[in-house]
Amino acid sequence: MGWNGLYSSAFERVRSSIGGVGTVLLAYNTNIDAIKYLDREDLEARIERAGVKEVLPYSEELPKRIESIQQLLGSILWSIRRGKAAELFVESCSTRFYMKRWGWDELRMGGQVGIMANLLGGVYGVPVIAHVPQLSKLQAGLFKDGPIYVPKAESGKINLVHPRDFEADEENCIHYIYEFPRGFRVFEFEAPRENRFIGSADDYNPNVVVRQEFEEHFEEIAEKAELAIISGLQALTEENYRGPFETIRAHLEVLEERGIPAHLEFAFTPDETVRKEILGLLGKFWSVGLNEVELASIIEVMGEKAIAERLLAHDPVDPVAVTEAMIKLAEKTGVRRIHFHTYGYYLALTNYRGEFVRDALLFAALAAAAKAKLGDVGSIDDIVKAMDVPVNEKARGIEEALAKEYGMEGGIAEISGYQLSFVPTKIVAKPRSTVGIGDTISSSAFVGEFALR
Ligand code: 8BR
Ligand code: 8BR
Ligand code: GLC
């Protein structure tokens, strides 16, 4: 069967079995994404007003956090010049106010938890319990209908309610997302690909502030779940990680005791100390999801500089370097599943076997293409609309390299006691937006795998 045949049969099987998946616990980051599609003239005028000389240095090197309008505009330029994503905490109130007045074109659900809750609960119909650090009316309104719940403590007991029925009036956690298309020009710079810069005007998610319900009643909440996906550790720093890590470690122990497989969605974590701490926690997870930059950054803190460099040297990324890095990571931490995704293909290294691992990746790639094509996936049947997106041509060379190196056939190979699964992805030429595709990929593959078991 060719890849298109494998795609449609994987989709049909996941569609018919996903209803059998139990409740998924999602923690910790949920926020509001205020999306602004950048406009050249507007941006140039703003940079001129703020002072070109003061702005440009930050487009060479990102600041650690944003404390001025010059740093904000310079960081946006940093992303545009490289076509790279970046996300920084906005500390200064006057800059937050500047962003608010600059405005947005669209408000969307944000944060790995929020995005996955809407996809799993709102689209796939899989029940989810979400951690939402602050439930404002605006935040609650961004949740889709469906089996999406937040725990509410009432007279010492936990009840599960839809976020709109939580009826709290808490703060807005807003992340301003500045998106630009491939070829976007500003002054003499041109974006080599579409991407975004995120400025987080949010005191809760970047610090992983855990709600009282989750601090005090975690065992009772976990009792209701069969799977877990953890995310949102990426903005922690050497200064503030200790408290949240204690809570997370305690939560992971509860999940482990109850035999609940947990997936870590590893987003880019600039702080090296935090990355090392995450590495130390990985053994408590069943599974981890990451892209090439993230894999290189974690392999680097393991002292494997040479492999880290190989991961970033080629486009598309060398799959043999990826496989070697995944084996090192699995051997060091004991994590049972590593799901790698990059522009054009995915790989999964598992310490168990079966075609369902590959088929879950195919389902995820179709979901990702639907998300890129439509912006928002409304129902599971929308995902079929991505069937006509062509399978990435460049992935043929990747497949050949894997066949030669590991004897891979039909996207599956056996290496040093692990199964390696490969799929070429479908790439949408003009994506509606780039935010949240990674979350769609990781959650669809993880949950899809349990649907197919
Ligand atoms: P992409 O081509 O995949 O967008 O690669 C850009 C990488 O830069 C992303 O993996 C993104 O995670 C990372 N990044 C982020 Br997000 N924040 C960053 C930061 N503060 N400093 C440097 N890189 C960052
Ligand atoms: P990260 O932000 O975690 O890197 O996830 C983004 C992922 O989305 C990439 O690894 C890539 O597989 C996928 N993706 C991107 Br970016 N653009 C896409 C597109 N136009 N069509 C399909 N998938 C895309
Ligand atoms: C990060 C950002 C959030 C965005 C999400 C998309 O969590 O903080 O704003 O929605 O990534 O993956």
Side-chain angles (χ1 to χ4, degrees):
M1 207 188 302
W3 284 110
N4 268 321
L6 290 171
Y7 260 105
S8 56
S9 97
F11 173 73
E12 285 310 331
R13 268 177 299 123
V14 175
R15 175 165 52 184
S16 62
S17 59
I18 202 153
V21 176
T23 300
V24 185
L25 176 62
L26 303 170
Y28 297 89
N29 59 327
T30 307
N31 63 269
I32 299 159
D33 280 347
I35 301 177
K36 174 100 195 152
Y37 298 100
L38 289 169
D39 170 83
R40 177 180 183 168
E41 273 175 33
D42 174 41
L43 184 58
E44 285 180 352
R46 282 171 187 276
I47 293 172
E48 271 161 6
R49 246 177 283 140
V52 179
K53 266 229 285 305
E54 286 72 31
V55 169
L56 278 184
Y58 300 112
S59 77
E60 300 286 345
E61 200 180 325
L62 284 176
K64 280 215 143 181
R65 60 183 71 83
I66 291 180
E67 286 160 332
S68 69
I69 292 166
Q70 287 74 16
Q71 289 182 335
L72 170 70
L73 296 168
S75 303
I76 294 174
L77 263 187
W78 182 94
S79 277
I80 295 171
R81 290 178 69 173
R82 294 164 182 77
K84 290 222 171 262
E87 174 165 359
L88 291 173
F89 173 62
V90 182
E91 175 131 272
S92 112
C93 288
S94 54
T95 310
R96 287 186 183 187
F97 189 53
Y98 176 89
M99 295 158 83
K100 193 175 187 173
R101 280 190 309 173
W102 192 354
W104 53 81
D105 298 302
E106 221 176 296
L107 289 178
R108 270 202 235 152
M109 177 60 87
Q112 273 77 33
V113 167
I115 292 169
M116 292 180 184
N118 271 350
L119 180 71
L120 299 178
V123 179
Y124 300 163
V126 171
V128 298
I129 303 172
H131 179 266
V132 187
Q134 288 289 292
L135 250 168
S136 66
K137 285 212 175 70
L138 195 57
Q139 180 74 74
L142 293 173
F143 281 94
K144 290 186 193 267
D145 293 331
I148 301 173
Y149 305 103
V150 290
K152 185 168 187 170
E154 279 161 324
S155 46
K157 253 191 92 250
I158 284 295
N159 290 316
L160 294 180
V161 298
H162 188 278
R164 282 198 298 276
D165 300 325
F166 189 84
E167 297 195 326
D169 200 2
E170 298 173 346
E171 284 178 47
N172 283 322
C173 298
I174 303 190
H175 293 193
Y176 293 87
I177 304 205
Y178 299 97
E179 284 226 38
F180 51 87
R182 178 188 307 234
F184 180 81
R185 292 183 65 92
V186 45
F187 300 123
E188 72 270 31
F189 308 119
E190 185 174 333
R193 52 164 284 202
E194 65 279 3
N195 225 318
R196 77 279 176 172
F197 173 79
I198 305 181
S200 316
D202 170 358
D203 298 308
Y204 292 84
N205 289 291
N207 295 305
V208 192
V209 174
V210 176
R211 290 192 74 91
Q212 212 177 359
E213 295 87 345
F214 278 73
E215 289 279 10
E216 289 173 5
H217 304 274
F218 191 75
E219 299 214 5
E220 204 185 326
I221 294 170
E223 218 168 77
K224 305 177 196 294
E226 282 180 24
L227 294 172
I229 303 180
I230 305 294
S231 61
L233 316 187
Q234 62 265 20
L236 290 172
T237 65
E238 196 182 350
E239 289 80 44
N240 69 2
Y241 77 91
R242 286 182 187 81
F245 261 73
E246 253 176 61
T247 305
I248 295 160
R249 202 168 281 122
H251 286 178
L252 286 173
E253 261 151 38
V254 172
L255 295 174
E256 205 173 28
E257 265 165 37
R258 301 194 160 272
I260 298 172
H263 171 87
L264 174 70
E265 187 54 13
F266 181 95
F268 186 77
T269 308
D271 191 294
E272 214 175 281
T273 307
V274 176
R275 242 170 6 219
K276 282 191 186 138
E277 291 292 323
I278 293 177
L279 188 64
L281 270 188
L282 262 190
K284 301 239 170 256
F285 287 93
W286 169 286
S287 160
V288 59
L290 29 68
N291 69 16
E292 66 278 15
V293 181
E294 294 153 7
L295 182 59
S297 77
I298 201 152
I299 276 290
E300 201 182 346
V301 297
M302 282 169 55
E304 301 282 351
K305 283 228 156 60
I307 301 189
E309 276 167 25
R310 278 166 64 208
L311 287 171
L312 299 175
H314 295 283
D315 184 25
V317 190
D318 171 9
V320 176
V322 174
T323 306
E324 286 172 19
M326 291 197 297
I327 291 174
K328 288 226 185 300
L329 190 57
E331 282 176 349
K332 175 160 177 99
T333 62
V335 68
R336 279 180 260 197
R337 172 179 181 273
I338 302 174
H339 175 183
F340 170 82
H341 62 85
T342 189
Y343 202 77
Y345 72 92
Y346 310 155
L347 287 172
L349 188 82
T350 49
N351 76 350
Y352 45 88
R353 275 150 205 82
E355 290 188 346
F356 65 95
V357 178
R358 177 204 61 198
D359 292 345
L361 297 183
L362 288 167
F363 171 69
L366 204 58
K371 167 99 183 162
K373 185 174 169 178
L374 307 171
D376 184 48
V377 178
S379 74
I380 197 160
D381 295 314
D382 269 355
I383 292 180
V384 185
K385 295 184 183 149
M387 266 313 283
D388 64 355
V389 177
V391 172
N392 172 31
E393 274 298 322
K394 280 195 195 156
R396 205 182 300 266
I398 303 288
E399 194 176 359
E400 279 161 12
L402 290 166
K404 186 160 161 256
E405 191 73 25
Y406 305 118
M408 174 169 280
E409 268 180 64
I412 294 178
E414 180 80 27
I415 310 165
S416 354
Y418 295 96
Q419 172 173 298
L420 182 69
S421 309
F422 159 85
V423 308
T425 63
K426 291 172 173 275
I427 296 279
V428 175
K430 282 213 173 99
R432 281 282 295 273
S433 158
T434 61
V435 188
I437 303 184
D439 307 333
T440 300
I441 297 169
S442 296
S443 57
S444 299
F446 181 63
V447 170
E449 204 179 274
F450 283 90
L452 291 173
R453 262 162 192 273

